[in-house]
Amino acid sequence: MIEVNQLTKRFGTQTAVDSLSLQIPAGQIVGFLGPNGAGKSTTLKMLTGMIEPTSGSATICGFDLQREPIEVKRHVGFVPESGAVFESLTGLEYLEMVAALYGIPSGAARARIEQFITFFDLSFETLTDKLLGAYSKGMRRKVVITSALLHNPPVVFFDEPLDGLDANAAVGFKALIQTLAREGKTIVYSSHILDVVERVCHRVIIIDKGKLLLDGKPEELVAQHNSGTLEKLFTQLTGGDELERRAEDFAKTFRA
Amino acid sequence: MSEKPPLLASAMSAPTSKQALRKLFLTLFLRGRGARGLQRSNAPKSVGQKLFLTLLFYLLFGCMALTMSQQPVFALAIYLHAMTFAFLSMFVAASAGEILFNKEEADILLHRPIEPKTMLWAKIRVLVEISLWIAFAFNLAGIFAGLGAPDGGWRFPIAHIISTIFEALFCVGCVVLVYQLCLRWFGRERLEGLMTTAQVFVTIGAVLSAQILPRLVFRFHHVLTASESSAWIIFLPPAWFAGFDDALSGSATPLSWLLGGMAAAFTVIVLWLAFGKLAHSYEAGLQVLNETARQPKRRGRRWLEIFVNAPPLRWWLHNPVERASFLLTAAYLFRDRDTKLRIYPGIAPMLILPFIFLMQSSGNAGSFGVAFSGGYLGLIPLIGLNTLQYSQQWQASDIFRSAPIIGPASICHGARRAILCLLTLPVLIFFALLCIFIHPQVSTLWLLLPGIVTLPVYALVPAAIGRAVPLSSPIEEAKSAGRGLTMVLVMFISIGLSFLASFAWDGGWFWEFFVIETTASIVVYFFMRALLNRVRWKSAE
């Protein structure tokens, strides 16, 4: 479903993603992890055609990212970390606009929007009367998730999707992506909430400084490295094992 | 979920992505992009009302053309096209950067299946559409005036509508072409910085062009015809479109045919270059705005910090809050694309008028021109502070409220001093040098003083009414009418003071006037300062 081959992105002299290669089959939920600045968002933006790779290639659903970017975009859904929306549109106007960009007929689009309203427990009045700028962060996130799934894409990229969602919505969302995966959709899930990743994802990919560090099933990786939890494994790999000592040093500055 | 109205309306067919994008960009343009934090009543949901008011303004302004109804077609058309050119160029220059290269929309639209060309065309179409509405509102009265022109007649409205469409296309094409050329010549990496520069230059060019041509009309005592014009008129784009009108419905001299031909030819060339030949650069431009490249190390910040923390600036900026606010303001003035795109093109047109007055005042009766230049500079801190108040990052200003500061006074003082120091002072020096160049006798420079002493007072106006906390309000709130009234009031006071200063200079009692004005300014300054120091944070709702 997703094939990435030596994908590289350089910004001037800085290499954000360094010869990344991976394959993700249909129906898999993949946790895409890494510390801040590891290159996760850059990778996702390349795979969704938002930025151009410096070198390397990728195919999604058989479509080449560089030769057929529009086809790739038609087959992916993306929830960006920023959760950006056009704030001066109402929720309904925004979702109808997105539906139109994918060529979804108005009737079908409204039916799908209706389903998402029910799923996320949004009120219809909010969706039609309030501008998105007046929504809470969580509500905006729900609209963004809806807009990514509206065209029923076979591949969905989520970049910190739970950011701003309340506990109920987060639980519902986790159930949703598991259902979507069972129906054959490929989910790439980038998050810093590692216990959720551990519970939800079939596979975990950890990158740091643009390079692939680990790739495998969460339970197998944890067992191989004898780390107990995915969180501990992550901190071991990405240089976070000294955090407690650094926190102590930080506190010392205030004591002084 | 509670009972809700049926959402499933009719199963209509899908609008095309072209239609959806056109509707989107038109709505965004009319409503504004950022509605975050706006009260429902402030949110400009009523598209029609806003558009109506804008067009009404242009319509009423265009009625001035009725005073020229007895002039030849060429003179009337020169006036109409020069003003239209200025309005459209300023509008397109101000809007194009935001519409064409909006950073925030990258996360929303770039991963959707849309061809960059489709997106570019949808945006261009919206720009052209709105330009045409503005152009027609402004030119409506002029069309009737042309019917009564000595060499005009029924053909004038047709010719003028066609030439106005050409002009709107030309203006939009030129601005888009400037951005495309910036991309092509200077590379994607420098796009953001170049956009501001390009926008400022387009605005200045448009206003200059619009100011020169109507003055030419007055110079020829309102009876300018194409045959009487100097050859250099062919270098001014509004004259081409006026020539088009004159060729089809006026004197039809060889020069007017030449100018009309140039209007058609240059419009076609610009459109071809902007939307045909260089359209592929657009995708590259969109992508670069979405790339989060590491910024090269900036060296400018250090010298500014040293400057702020050393005398004499340290004496002027009394406390750390004022100094921090000064540095924050400086950072936004120099670095923030959004702030730069609003402040510099906003100030540029204000500088044209004193510039023209100064150029015209090179004769013996030049005292008013110099005094006016000085007085008009008072608008710069006012515009600067008003503009700086609005930012896309306004929510970050919560940090001011959460800090242990009793009110916004210190932050406002820091910001206004940064505006005075970094924005007003360079302009003042420029005008002083210009005065010396135009009036070799240095004594004329004294005439700038009445304007200079009022600068600190004008800079306090937005702050004293508690509205100048930098970067603290959503951009959409910038469109309130109250600010416009303050500006007009300050403008009238400036003109009045300039007139008095000039009168005093010619009458030989300039220094007496200056002492009185300075004393009054000091009193008003301390009164407004005390007012500002008493302002407390309003509840952030």
Side-chain angles (χ1 to χ4, degrees), chain A residues 9 11 14 45 48-52 70 73-74 78 80 82 84-90 93-94 97-98 100-107 110-111 114 117 122 124-125 129 131 133 140 147, chain B residues 1 4-5 7-15 17 20-21 24 27-28 31-37 40 43 45 104-115 287 290-294:
Chain A
K9 180 67 190 176
F11 296 115
Q14 184 201 6
K45 283 180 177 179
T48 51
M50 292 174 71
I51 57 176
E52 210 176 329
I70 298 296
K73 289 176 182 185
R74 228 184 282 283
F78 181 42
S82 67
V85 287
F86 291 119
E87 292 174 7
S88 48
L89 300 187
T90 65
E93 284 173 335
Y94 179 76
M97 181 274 295
V98 170
L101 296 180
Y102 289 93
I104 304 169
S106 305
R110 289 195 176 194
E114 169 103 329
I117 289 177
L122 287 168
F124 177 74
E125 288 74 20
D129 292 353
L131 300 182
R140 265 205 299 272
S147 76
Chain B
M1 198 166 54
K4 55 186 182 290
L7 186 58
L8 288 164
S10 57
M12 292 171 285
S13 62
S17 54
L21 287 173
L24 167 72
T27 311
L28 290 179
R31 285 190 196 165
R33 285 187 181 251
R36 195 173 297 189
R40 180 96 194 276
K45 268 197 86 176
E104 284 69 38
E105 82 181 19
D107 269 357
I108 308 170
L109 290 180
L110 275 192
H111 56 91
R112 314 280 182 200
I114 315 160
E115 295 280 0
Q287 286 191 336
N290 193 40
E291 290 178 358
T292 48
R294 179 176 288 175

Side-chain angles (χ1 to χ4, degrees), chain B residues 174-188:
Chain B
C174 277
V175 175
V176 176
L177 185 61
V178 167
Y179 287 143
Q180 310 278 33
L181 289 174
C182 284
L183 270 169
R184 196 179 175 89
W185 290 339
F186 303 105
R188 301 191 279 166

Side-chain angles (χ1 to χ4, degrees), chain A residues 133-207:
Chain A
Y135 281 29
S136 69
K137 189 178 177 185
M139 276 164 59
R140 265 205 299 272
R141 181 63 69 171
K142 289 173 185 177
V143 171
V144 173
I145 292 171
T146 304
S147 76
L149 299 173
L150 207 54
H151 59 292
N152 194 23
V155 176
V156 194
F157 296 97
F158 291 104
D159 198 355
E160 291 293 353
L162 298 183
D163 188 19
L165 290 188
D166 60 47
N168 286 338
V171 170
F173 174 76
K174 282 178 260 176
L176 175 71
I177 60 169
Q178 284 168 327
T179 310
L180 292 174
R182 275 198 295 276
E183 287 177 5
K185 293 191 192 307
T186 304
I187 313 282
V188 178
Y189 183 102
S190 174
S191 175
H192 293 292
I193 309 172
L194 299 183
D195 54 335
V196 175
V197 173
E198 198 169 3
R199 272 185 279 128
V200 170
C201 296
H202 303 134
R203 176 180 162 195
V204 167
I205 292 171
I206 301 178
I207 65 166

Side-chain angles (χ1 to χ4, degrees), chain B residues 56 62 72 94 130 142 167-168 202 204 213 224 282 292 327-328 342 349 371 419 459 498 541:
Chain B
L56 186 66
I130 298 166
E167 195 172 23
V202 168
I204 291 173
L213 275 171
L224 176 74
Y282 182 66
T292 48
L327 286 171
L328 175 76
R342 285 181 302 114
I419 292 280
S498 311
E541 285 158 10

Side-chain angles (χ1 to χ4, degrees), chain B residues 199-427:
Chain B
Q199 199 166 326
V200 171
F201 280 109
V202 168
T203 308
I204 291 173
V207 179
L208 263 181
S209 180
Q211 290 287 339
I212 289 169
L213 275 171
R215 273 167 176 72
L216 201 71
V217 177
F218 289 111
R219 192 177 153 200
F220 282 88
H221 307 291
H222 284 218
V223 286
L224 176 74
T225 63
S227 55
E228 286 172 323
S229 310
S230 309
W232 57 267
I233 203 168
I234 64 167
F235 295 109
L236 296 168
W240 307 340
F241 301 99
F244 189 94
D245 288 1
D246 197 45
L248 292 184
S249 63
S251 63
T253 62
L255 180 62
S256 54
W257 279 106
L258 173 70
L259 291 169
M262 287 172 75
F266 278 112
T267 304
V268 172
I269 291 169
V270 162
L271 291 177
W272 174 71
L273 284 172
F275 309 133
K277 189 119 178 89
L278 297 174
H280 65 273
S281 307
Y282 182 66
E283 184 177 15
L286 284 180
Q287 286 191 336
V288 77
L289 287 181
N290 193 40
E291 290 178 358
T292 48
R294 179 176 288 175
Q295 295 292 313
K297 267 191 178 174
R298 292 179 177 274
R299 290 179 186 158
R301 178 80 176 161
R302 281 247 57 90
W303 71 258
L304 202 60
E305 269 178 23
I306 294 166
F307 183 53
V308 165
N309 287 303
L313 210 55
R314 193 184 166 87
W315 298 330
W316 195 31
L317 299 162
H318 302 118
N319 58 53
V321 179
E322 286 184 13
R323 289 194 284 277
S325 173
F326 186 99
L327 286 171
L328 175 76
T329 306
Y332 271 75
L333 285 178
F334 293 141
R335 289 188 218 157
D336 184 60
R337 176 185 156 224
D338 166 53
T339 306
K340 289 196 290 183
L341 280 179
R342 285 181 302 114
I343 283 198
Y344 299 114
I347 285 174
M350 307 307 292
L351 300 179
I352 303 294
L353 211 55
F355 179 77
I356 287 170
F357 266 87
L358 217 50
M359 297 303 281
Q360 284 181 335
S361 67
S362 53
N364 290 331
S367 58
F368 178 72
V370 183
F372 180 75
S373 305
Y376 216 71
L377 291 180
L379 292 176
I380 293 175
L382 196 67
I383 297 170
L385 283 164
N386 269 332
T387 313
L388 193 72
Q389 187 192 332
Y390 303 97
S391 168
Q392 288 177 346
Q393 293 126 43
W394 64 277
Q395 282 171 317
S397 70
D398 281 352
I399 197 165
F400 300 145
R401 289 169 182 278
S402 57
I405 310 168
I406 198 161
S410 295
I411 291 162
C412 292
H413 288 317
R416 88 186 160 82
R417 282 163 186 166
I419 292 280
L420 283 171
C421 228
L422 305 170
L423 207 61
T424 316
L425 188 63
V427 177

